[in-house]
């Protein structure tokens, strides 16, 4: 593996240092143009950030910073800093502010760092020269650390189950679990849990104004400065809601829509319908010939990434959209990503409801079966399954090569079964299996339904986190208000049987947006799949895929059979490729190549 050295980034990042005499030497090794200091004058925060994305306060020895998209004022932070006697008292601050942000605090030689419960903003830490140093990116801390080959094998699984996403890609660099904060006192590092799933006790009627207010505040965080704001308008309920909320602000709004290669796709029709209700909003429908396909420009990706991501598959589409919007003076682009995860919820809640309200649950489950075409016997087996999350994960560890399971098994169980595909070597298989068997496997919620709600959010956020970094590097940051913690909490507080029902599509969001989004725009009950863009991309870019595997870094490490993958690339119409089974492997391969490109950039500086 190449020596990463000191990795600099054009996009924002930060490193947190303890108030220690050795911190100055560590700060000098970090390639960072900006520094904030402890009361002692020693470096506290070093990195790169925009002034409008950080709020800092000081009171005596206390230093407090909120970094990201948050409307907190200096005066509010100063009051908090003045009254701060214990770092655990910051829990209330973290649970009260809207937006997406990190909180960093220093008090009496100790410090605390935390990101978001969604996992969109993460915290990493590593011991450097005896000091516990934290950052919002793992690669900034990696330095000369070795890449963890077992972590690569884990990421070849699809999906990667909780808690294995919390493994970093470097030995010696650790990740703070989302919803926890890192507490550092001298040479000791510990964790404290500041976020928990809210009790789902609200009905739909009383929840609608709560969800509405959370979304209004989340969008306002991004639009309150005015200027020109872009919105993705696919025509789906999620992006349409964000667009109408943005249009209520003082900002000038430009919305963009990609047409589809699928003649049955209705996105443009629904997007135009929404735009007709917003005459003051500029609506851009990009020409079909500009549509970037899935798999495009994989060989040209040079973004610094601190973990593999399947987000590289659609990176070119993201950047093509941003390039056009930047030319219109936009300063941020809002997406509807995350709406699927918070406005709906896991059908696995009916596993618990069946035991508490059997007649009610059976009626709903029959309707779900008709709606989703669930086969009866696997459905009954999933509902009868009473294994703990740990037992389920251990069983999956010995079945990684098993074929696809019925959709209902994942929908009503602990989640989608992790799979390793036939091009993954026996050595990689053993590494991934051992990681699953040795994982400390506690579920993310009190029930498998709560676990099933949160795990997709954490997985989605890992992709969007990389997109946010890519977009910031490209000059136009993207933001996804649905993934704000306050929005997640508002939606999770709704009783699950009112969030997920076979009779209505996203009822929580529909009711929350009633009166803001026109009723005819709330009537859509489907969404596009972009499957033609994926299949066309396979055919058009198979030469790039062949080149990817002929010089494969994964193959050099003994993790994949490059010959098998080359064969698949030469047969892009193979039916099994329609389900995106290549994505996790491509994500790992592209990430390894990005390390080489990062080392080349560092050597050229």
């Amino acid at each position: 593996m190449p020596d990463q050295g000191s990795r600099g980034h054009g996009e924002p990042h930060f490193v947190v240092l303890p108030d220690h005499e050795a911190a100055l030497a560590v700060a000098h090794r970090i390639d960072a143009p900006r520094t904030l200091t402890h009361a002692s004058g020693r470096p506290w925060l070093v990195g790169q950030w925009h002034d409008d994305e950080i709020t800092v306060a000081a009171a005596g020895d206390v230093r407090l910073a909120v970094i990201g998209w948050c409307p907190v004022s200096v005066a509010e932070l100063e009051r908090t800093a003045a009254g701060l006697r214990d770092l655990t008292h910051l829990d209330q601050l973290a649970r009260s502010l809207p937006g997406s942000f990190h909180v960093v605090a220093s008090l009496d030689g100790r410090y605390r760092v935390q990101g978001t419960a969604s996992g969109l903003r993460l915290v990493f830490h590593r011991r450097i020269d005896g000091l516990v140093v934290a950052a919002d990116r793992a690669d900034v801390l990696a330095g000369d650390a070795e890449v963890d080959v077992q972590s690569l094998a884990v990421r070849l699984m699809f999906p990667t189950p909780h808690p294995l996403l919390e493994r970093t890609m470097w030995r010696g660099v650790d990740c703070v679990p989302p919803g926890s904060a890192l507490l550092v006192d001298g040479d000791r590092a510990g964790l404290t849990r500041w976020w928990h799933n809210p009790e789902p006790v609200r009905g739909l009627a009383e929840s609608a104004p709560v969800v509405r207010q959370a979304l209004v505040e989340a969008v306002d965080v991004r639009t309150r400065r005015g200027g020109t704001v872009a919105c993705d308008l696919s025509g789906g309920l999620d992006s349409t809601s964000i667009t109408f909320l943005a249009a209520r602000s003082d900002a000038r709004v430009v919305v963009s829509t990609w047409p589809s290669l699928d003649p049955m796709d209705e996105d443009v029709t629904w997007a135009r319908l929404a735009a007709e209700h917003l005459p003051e909003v500029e609506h851009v429908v990009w020409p079909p010939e500009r549509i970037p396909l899935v798999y495009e420009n994989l060989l040209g990706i040079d973004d610094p990434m601190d973990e593999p991501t399947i987000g590289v598959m659609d990176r070119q589409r993201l950047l093509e959209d941003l390039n056009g919007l930047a030319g219109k003076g936009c300063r941020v682009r809002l997406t509807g990503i995350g709406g699927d995860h918070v406005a709906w919820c896991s059908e696995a809640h009916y596993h618990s409801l069946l035991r508490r309200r059997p007649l009610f649950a059976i009626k709903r489950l029959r309707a779900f079966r008709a709606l989703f075409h669930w086969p009866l016997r696997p459905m009954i087996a999933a509902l009868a399954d009473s294994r703990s999350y740990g037992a389920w994960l251990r069983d999956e560890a010995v079945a990684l090569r098993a074929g696809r399971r019925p959709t209902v098994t994942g929908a009503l169980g602990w989640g989608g079964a992790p799979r390793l595909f036939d091009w993954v070597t026996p050595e990689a298989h053993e590494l991934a299996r051992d990681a699953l068997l040795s994982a400390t496997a506690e579920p993310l919620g009190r029930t498998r339904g709560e676990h099933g709600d949160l795990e997709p959010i954490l997985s989605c956020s890992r992709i969007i986190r990389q997109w946010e970094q890519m977009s910031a590097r490209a000059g136009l940051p993207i933001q996804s208000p649905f993934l704000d913690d306050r929005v997640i909490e508002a939606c999770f507080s709704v009783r699950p049987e009112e969030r997920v029902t076979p009779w209505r599509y996203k009822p929580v969001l529909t009711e929350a947006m009633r009166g803001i989004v026109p009723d005819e725009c709330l009537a859509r009950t489907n969404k596009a799949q972009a499957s033609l863009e994926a299949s066309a991309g396979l055919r058009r870019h198979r030469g790039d895929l062949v080149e990817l595997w002929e010089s494969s870094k994964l193959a050099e490490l003994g993790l994949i059979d490059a010959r098998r993958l080359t064969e698949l690339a030469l047969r892009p119409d193979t039916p099994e490729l329609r389900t995106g089974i290549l994505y996790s492997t491509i994500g790992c391969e592209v990430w390894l190549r990005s390390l080489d490109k990062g080392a080349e950039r560092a050597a050229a500086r």
Side-chain angles (χ1 to χ4, degrees):
M1 284 299 128
D3 181 354
Q4 293 305 294
S6 178
R7 295 188 60 153
H9 299 277
E11 67 276 16
H13 65 283
F14 67 85
V15 177
V16 188
L17 298 165
D19 191 2
H20 190 279
E21 59 186 12
L24 187 60
V26 176
H28 283 158
R29 291 163 53 186
I30 298 170
D31 184 12
R34 308 196 69 173
T35 300
L36 296 176
T37 61
H38 292 281
S40 64
R42 294 168 178 152
W44 169 45
L45 287 176
V46 298
Q48 180 164 309
W49 51 79
H50 301 297
D51 288 338
D52 57 0
E53 292 182 22
I54 183 169
T55 305
V56 182
D61 289 342
V62 176
R63 295 293 181 270
L64 184 57
V66 173
I67 306 170
W69 296 77
C70 181
V72 67
S73 66
V74 173
E76 184 178 355
L77 273 195
E78 286 177 341
R79 287 193 296 271
T80 301
L84 191 62
R85 300 293 179 267
D86 190 304
L87 291 176
T88 59
H89 296 165
L90 290 173
D91 287 7
Q92 181 57 39
L93 177 71
R95 290 195 294 257
S96 65
L97 297 174
S100 176
F101 51 87
H102 287 87
V103 177
V104 187
S106 172
L107 169 67
D108 295 334
R110 293 167 286 132
Y111 76 82
R112 168 174 170 153
V113 194
Q114 67 189 69
T116 58
S118 70
L120 196 56
R121 291 180 179 265
L122 294 174
V123 176
F124 303 90
H125 60 101
R126 182 189 182 192
R127 200 170 292 274
I128 302 176
D129 294 345
L131 302 182
V132 179
V133 181
D136 64 335
R137 294 184 59 120
D139 54 347
V140 173
L141 297 179
D144 58 357
E146 292 184 10
V147 168
D148 188 335
V149 176
Q150 186 175 43
S151 289
L152 269 171
V154 163
R155 296 305 181 94
L156 290 172
M157 287 190 291
F158 188 79
T160 303
H162 167 77
L164 295 185
L165 277 178
E166 293 170 9
R167 292 180 62 122
T168 78
M169 307 309 295
W170 287 275
R171 295 178 181 175
V173 180
D174 295 314
C175 179
V176 176
S180 292
L182 174 70
L183 289 172
V184 178
D185 184 356
D187 61 355
R188 300 188 304 275
L191 301 176
T192 181
R193 189 75 183 170
W194 64 269
W195 190 89
H196 298 277
N197 282 354
E199 290 282 352
V201 295
R202 292 196 184 106
L204 189 59
E206 63 179 314
S207 297
V210 177
V211 174
R212 180 188 304 119
Q213 184 61 29
L215 278 170
V216 166
E217 291 180 353
V219 172
D220 179 68
V221 167
R222 283 83 177 182
T223 60
R224 63 193 178 96
R225 285 176 37 222
T228 301
V229 172
C231 292
D232 163 38
L233 181 60
S234 70
L237 183 56
D238 308 327
S239 67
T240 299
S241 297
I242 297 299
T243 295
F244 274 88
L245 288 171
R248 289 157 53 98
S249 73
D250 293 331
R252 172 177 174 263
V253 178
V254 178
V255 298
S256 63
T257 305
W258 281 109
S260 173
L261 297 178
D262 185 351
M264 301 300 292
D265 185 288
E266 299 177 337
D267 274 4
V268 172
T269 300
W270 283 97
R272 291 192 192 279
L273 175 65
E276 289 174 2
H277 291 274
L278 299 169
E280 72 283 6
V281 169
E282 180 181 355
H283 183 204
V284 180
V285 179
W286 302 119
E289 60 271 16
R290 282 184 55 184
I291 299 176
L293 301 177
V294 181
Y295 303 96
E296 189 158 326
N297 195 33
L298 292 176
L299 297 175
I301 295 176
D302 63 350
D303 298 280
M305 295 179 285
D306 63 356
E307 64 179 344
T309 175
I310 64 173
V312 296
M313 310 304 301
D314 288 312
R315 171 184 176 272
Q316 201 62 30
R317 187 184 183 105
L318 169 71
L319 297 186
E320 184 70 18
D321 197 15
L322 297 181
N323 288 338
L325 294 170
K328 294 181 176 293
C330 299
R331 61 175 181 82
V332 65
R333 174 180 177 265
L334 308 187
T335 84
I337 295 170
D340 285 339
H341 302 82
V342 302
W344 193 249
C345 72
S346 171
E347 292 87 0
H349 281 287
Y350 284 85
H351 185 276
S352 300
L353 283 167
L354 182 63
R355 287 149 177 80
R356 291 191 290 109
R357 301 174 61 190
L359 295 180
F360 171 83
I362 287 171
K363 181 179 179 181
R364 289 284 185 92
L365 287 164
R366 284 174 174 167
F368 277 126
R369 184 182 173 224
L371 179 66
F372 296 130
H373 307 290
W374 286 341
L376 181 59
R377 295 179 73 176
M379 176 179 167
I380 293 173
L383 290 168
D385 179 17
S386 59
R387 287 175 295 173
S388 68
Y389 183 69
W392 173 80
L393 204 63
R394 289 191 295 272
D395 289 344
E396 293 303 328
V398 298
L400 286 173
R401 298 285 194 181
R404 295 182 65 193
R405 322 289 172 81
T407 302
V408 66
T409 302
L412 295 177
W414 285 111
R419 296 177 62 205
L420 284 177
F421 306 103
D422 63 3
W423 55 80
V424 174
T425 64
E427 293 77 13
H429 182 183
E430 183 177 353
L431 288 170
R433 183 200 62 207
D434 290 349
L436 283 171
L437 290 174
S438 62
T440 302
E442 295 295 329
L444 291 163
R446 293 159 291 223
T447 66
R448 66 179 61 193
E450 288 188 3
H451 175 90
D453 283 349
L454 192 53
E455 184 169 32
I457 290 176
L458 298 179
S459 299
C460 173
S461 291
R462 301 303 279 252
I463 300 170
I464 306 310
R465 175 175 172 268
Q466 297 293 338
W467 278 2
E468 285 193 359
Q469 293 167 5
M470 292 173 183
S471 67
R473 185 175 184 236
L476 179 59
I478 67 167
Q479 287 286 290
S480 302
F482 277 110
L483 294 174
D484 285 4
D485 289 350
R486 304 292 85 77
V487 176
I488 294 170
E489 290 161 359
C491 292
F492 277 20
S493 68
V494 185
R495 289 193 289 266
E497 60 268 33
E498 301 199 44
R499 283 176 63 203
V500 59
T501 164
W503 320 123
R504 296 184 62 187
Y505 181 67
K506 297 183 181 178
V508 172
L509 184 58
T510 300
E511 292 307 311
M513 290 295 100
R514 201 169 298 283
I516 295 176
V517 177
D519 286 351
E520 60 180 332
C521 298
L522 293 174
R524 188 176 186 184
T525 58
N526 62 3
K527 60 181 295 179
Q529 300 299 322
S531 57
L532 285 184
E533 282 80 357
S535 59
L538 266 175
R539 290 190 295 272
R540 181 180 297 178
H541 301 296
R542 59 184 175 180
D544 287 350
L545 288 174
V546 168
E547 184 175 343
L548 200 68
W549 307 130
E550 286 181 344
S551 56
S552 170
K553 302 292 182 182
L554 288 170
E556 290 176 10
L557 292 171
L559 298 177
I560 58 129
D561 178 352
R563 180 187 57 81
R564 168 65 176 142
L565 283 163
T566 300
E567 290 174 354
L568 282 173
L570 293 172
R571 295 187 285 108
D573 292 320
T574 301
E576 62 186 310
L577 295 182
R578 295 173 187 167
T579 57
I581 61 175
L582 291 173
Y583 289 6
S584 59
T585 306
I586 290 174
C588 289
E589 181 67 38
V590 169
W591 178 76
L592 282 173
R593 289 166 178 259
S594 77
L595 298 188
D596 285 344
K597 292 174 182 178
E600 291 170 4
R601 284 193 301 271
R605 285 199 296 266

